[in-house]
Amino acid sequence: MNLRECYAAAAADYDDVMRRFMSENRVDRFLNMFLRDGSFELLCSAMDAGDYQDAFRAVHTIKGISMNLSLNALRDACIELTENLRAGTPDDRTQPCFDRVQEEYHRTRAAISSHLN
């Protein structure tokens, strides 16, 4: 799978990332870093433990990374959960927001892994 196909599979914006990074090799380097980042695991463990401050920090980090890499579907899911957790207390939207982040993260990760392998 080439980079453009990877970005299509991840509901991401290939043209936007290429305008900023100007090189597929550079994008690939940062996508590799994304795969190694531990923020998603931190988010999951914080949510399981009910530690909404750590969950907020973790999802905020994922949001920033996804914004920088134009991973738009993941970014949008993270924005929703970030705003939901900003107050520090969960509500009836917290779990659906978290579920969406998990779904988009796994889809994005699968697309990137298919591209890089």
Side-chain angles (χ1 to χ4, degrees):
M1 169 184 298
N2 67 38
L3 184 61
R4 186 178 290 278
E5 293 167 337
C6 167
Y7 266 65
D13 190 336
Y14 173 84
D15 293 330
D16 184 58
V17 77
M18 288 307 297
R19 261 191 305 278
R20 285 184 290 107
F21 284 73
M22 297 189 278
S23 160
E24 286 194 357
N25 288 333
R26 185 175 292 146
V27 174
D28 285 350
R29 191 174 76 219
F30 283 93
L31 291 176
N32 266 307
M33 292 168 66
F34 171 84
L35 293 179
R36 291 191 309 267
D37 182 78
S39 298
F40 182 73
E41 290 77 14
L42 177 59
L43 171 62
C44 292
S45 63
M47 289 294 291
D48 286 344
D51 184 345
Y52 299 109
Q53 283 186 327
D54 277 352
F56 173 81
R57 283 191 288 275
V59 74
H60 195 276
T61 298
I62 299 166
K63 179 183 80 168
I65 294 167
S66 61
M67 288 175 108
N68 288 334
L69 291 170
S70 302
L71 303 172
N72 295 354
L74 179 57
R75 175 206 63 205
D76 292 347
C78 289
I79 287 171
E80 190 176 357
L81 183 57
T82 298
E83 292 310 311
N84 179 271
L85 293 175
R86 191 173 295 282
T89 55
D91 62 23
D92 61 339
R93 292 282 309 132
T94 304
Q95 189 61 49
C97 289
F98 177 53
D99 292 344
R100 183 170 171 229
V101 168
Q102 289 179 298
E103 178 183 320
E104 293 301 338
Y105 179 85
H106 290 301
R107 176 168 66 144
T108 300
R109 186 175 181 85
I112 292 169
S113 293
S114 291
H115 164 64
L116 293 175
N117 292 330

